[in-house]
Structures are given as structure tokens and as C-alpha cells.
Amino acid sequence: MTSPAPDDAQATFSGTRAIDPRYALDEAALDRWLAANIEGYAGPLTIRQFKGGQSNPTYELTTPDRVYVLRRKPPGILLASAHAVDREFRVISALHAQGYPVARPWALCADDGVIGSMFYVMDKVEGRVLWDLKLPGMGPAERRAVYDAQVEALAALHAFDPVAVGLGDHGRPGNYFERQVGRWTKQYRASEIEPIAAMDRLIEFLPASLPPEGPTRIVHGDFRLDNLILAPDAPEVRAVLDWELSTLGDPMADFSYLLIAWVIPATARNGLAGADIAALGIPSVEQMVERYAGLTGARPANLDWLFAYNLFRLAAICQGIAGRVRDGTAASAHARTLAAQVPMLAAGALAFAKKAGA
């Protein structure tokens, strides 16, 4: 997703701010819950809200001895399948036990009465979140190393047998793309404000042209650079964040989602199309495919269809944000900008769908 301008992205999204009054919480009640549910917790507690993210409000909890992160469902009326912080907690708990780079999870609270909605608490992982894919301020070798680390982390996730790590019921096996197209169609329709012809055409084409089914693996659902925490001074992934959309499915969905950055305009924060990636040291789509295939033995069969699907999915997500803007429950100052991108994303998706035979 795009905006703000690339030069501003790092400053705009990094760090914390005072808590948005819409997402204020009962600090005394939270302090009591933390003391009762987290081993070694001791106040006093200082709370700030992270700038980045617009789906689940996220807070920094600072104590004299430790810093935690709290992720909560936003308050208010929500789409039925959205904001699944309990699913996030479950998947990071399973992956942390396997040594995969995620924050240490501490506890889940399903009682809305504590702060107004379900939430969970995990450790804060120190490091860098890089918000601009062009990685300003780095040299070509540094950029290439970051991209290599990103692919390696995704390939490592896709190497897990879901049953073996206790996530065999984290989603339904089989028919992944069919179910996902159906899910995002329903979510788009639930948040639709005015008709968009390109979305209507995609809703017809995608379920009628599904790719061959791949193996069932854990898929992150939103695997991109700014959902990773890298070591402060090395191209090492310390933690993968934002598991709200994780499920069981086809790993090509994750990998092709990562690759759509190469077809989104370079004028966007998360776009590389039109950038001189060779000069920057950023690998091409073909090089990314070869790197992933070398690690997993798998490669995408029809990138045009996969790009159409992923841009359609992004458009549906942004339409959901538009619905929350309309309803007053959007959790980010940038939500209106994201919501306005639905027609552009739909048009891009349709262009790839036409290449794939629409």
C-alpha cells in the first residue's frame, strides 16, 4: 500500500505518539491485568501508541525493567473475520517455540471488559523497521542483503509442516485461492460505498480461472518489508510482525504478494516499478524468483494471475479501511489515503487479469 511520500515514510511511521483518544484504554485496569497474567511484570507503566499500522491499534508498554507491545482489536462494530488478534497470538506462540523470528508472546486477554476489546501482549523486539522499499541511505550491497534476508525469512516460514508445529487447524487445507477470493469478495461487498467496475469484473474472473493448487503451508498473509524488524546493524530478520491474516494456504500467495511491490509505481512508498533497481542493488523479480526457488524448490506458475489476485485483495483490504473511515473506527491517520487507493488498485489488478486471459 502507498503513501505518504517516500522521503517522509520513515519519519511518519516510525516510533510512537500519544494515544489517539479513540483508542484510549483504562491504564489502571490494564496494569492490574498485566500484574496478574505476566510473570515478572512490575510497574509503574507508561503507555504510548505506535504510529505505524492501521488495522489493529498497537501500543508500547514501558516498565522500569522491560518493554512490551500490546495489540488489540479496535473498538466498535467490525467485519466478522477481521482483526483476529487471537489468531495472531496463537501463530506467534507456535512459531516462537520453533525458533522462528517472532516476538516472545506473553498472554492473550479475551475479556473485552479489561480495556474494551480483546488484546495480547508480547515482548518489544529492538531493531529497524524499514518503511521505504528503496532503502534510502544504504549502498547497493546493503540493499541486496536486506532483500535476501527477507526472502530467506519467508522461505523458512514456508518450510514448516503446519501439523508438526501445532498449527494443523490454523486454516482449512485445500482450495486456498478459491476460498480467499470468496473471502475478499465478501469483505469488499460488506464495505462497498460506490460501484467500481474493475472490481466487479475481477469478482467474475478470478474464481473462474484459479491456478493449480499448491502445498498447504503456514502463510503470513501480509509479508512485506515493513512488517519485519531487522537487527540494528545487520541484514538479519529479528521478528516478523502482524500475523492477523495468517492461515493455512498456498505459499505462492505469500511470495507473489511480496513481489507485487515490483509492479506498484516507485512514486508510492511500497512501490518499485520505474525505479532503477539495478543501480540500487535491489534484485529483479526474476532474481527474487530464483532465490526463493533455490531455497524452497518452488516457483510461481502464472505471475499475472497472482498479481491480479493480490492487487484485488489489497483493494478489498483498502475498501475495508474505507468502510471503517465511514464508520469512524479506522485506526490510522493515513486511513483516508489508503481508502482512496481502491480504484487504482482495482485498475492495476484488472490489467494483470487481462494478461492472464480475462
Side-chain angles (χ1 to χ4, degrees):
M1 286 182 248
T2 64
S3 288
D7 290 346
D8 302 329
Q10 198 67 33
T12 300
F13 292 110
S14 294
T16 61
R17 58 180 170 83
I19 298 173
D20 185 324
R22 294 175 298 168
Y23 308 112
L25 41 77
D26 185 332
E27 297 189 17
L30 176 61
D31 181 69
R32 289 192 296 271
W33 186 91
L34 294 169
N37 290 276
I38 294 184
E39 181 181 355
Y41 171 82
L45 176 64
T46 301
I47 308 176
R48 288 179 61 80
Q49 189 172 350
F50 284 98
K51 295 179 185 177
Q54 43 68 41
S55 181
N56 292 321
T58 306
Y59 307 77
E60 180 184 68
L61 312 180
T62 302
T63 71
D65 298 322
R66 201 173 195 118
V67 183
Y68 306 90
V69 171
L70 182 152
R71 292 263 290 171
R72 69 180 293 194
K73 282 191 175 187
I77 299 171
L78 305 171
L79 295 173
S81 61
H83 313 286
V85 295
D86 50 339
R87 288 176 60 80
E88 284 194 353
F89 181 78
R90 183 175 182 228
V91 73
I92 66 171
S93 296
L95 292 173
H96 184 266
Q98 300 299 318
Y100 189 75
V102 289
R104 176 181 178 175
W106 283 99
L108 171 72
C109 178
D111 179 2
D112 291 352
V114 178
I115 65 168
S117 59
M118 182 187 295
F119 67 91
Y120 72 92
V121 176
M122 58 185 164
D123 268 343
K124 183 183 179 185
V125 177
E126 296 298 337
R128 298 173 291 164
V129 176
L130 302 173
W131 293 96
D132 186 343
L133 284 173
K134 291 173 282 296
L135 301 178
M138 292 189 188
E142 291 177 280
R143 293 189 184 99
R144 181 58 182 258
V146 167
Y147 276 84
D148 284 348
Q150 184 177 207
V151 176
E152 289 163 9
L154 185 59
L157 174 65
H158 293 163
F160 288 117
D161 175 347
V163 174
V165 301
L167 291 172
D169 60 349
H170 193 59
R172 286 186 289 163
N175 303 319
Y176 176 72
F177 283 113
E178 179 181 3
R179 290 185 286 105
Q180 285 291 298
V181 170
R183 173 189 177 179
W184 295 110
T185 296
K186 289 177 184 176
Q187 190 144 317
Y188 169 75
R189 293 299 192 203
S191 301
E192 190 174 15
I193 296 171
E194 57 187 12
I196 299 173
M199 290 296 281
D200 293 338
R201 180 69 187 96
L202 290 159
I203 287 167
E204 293 175 4
F205 170 73
L206 291 172
S209 57
L210 298 166
E213 193 170 317
T216 297
R217 293 290 185 267
I218 302 161
V219 293
H220 179 275
D222 196 15
F223 196 95
R224 52 195 170 98
L225 187 62
D226 55 27
N227 274 334
L228 308 180
I229 297 177
L230 277 77
D233 54 359
E236 172 198 346
V237 176
R238 290 277 178 87
V240 180
L241 307 174
D242 198 358
W243 294 84
E244 175 190 349
L245 298 175
S246 67
T247 188
L248 301 187
D250 191 322
M252 280 304 145
D254 262 353
F255 182 52
S256 60
Y257 176 79
L258 181 63
L259 294 180
I260 61 169
W262 277 254
V263 301
I264 291 175
T267 51
R269 175 174 62 84
N270 277 347
L272 291 171
D276 189 348
I277 58 174
L280 290 170
I282 295 172
S284 65
V285 168
E286 294 74 20
Q287 288 170 326
M288 292 285 283
V289 168
E290 290 307 314
R291 180 72 172 165
Y292 181 82
L295 293 165
T296 66
R299 62 181 67 238
N302 187 343
L303 269 179
D304 288 329
W305 191 95
L306 290 166
F307 284 159
Y309 159 76
N310 276 293
L311 290 169
F312 165 77
R313 177 174 170 271
L314 270 182
I317 290 170
C318 286
Q319 188 64 48
I321 295 168
R324 296 203 300 277
V325 169
R326 176 194 60 199
D327 298 338
T329 60
S332 167
H334 312 291
R336 291 183 184 278
T337 303
L338 293 171
Q341 294 177 11
V342 177
M344 179 271 290
L345 290 167
L350 184 58
F352 280 107
K354 288 177 177 177
K355 291 182 183 179

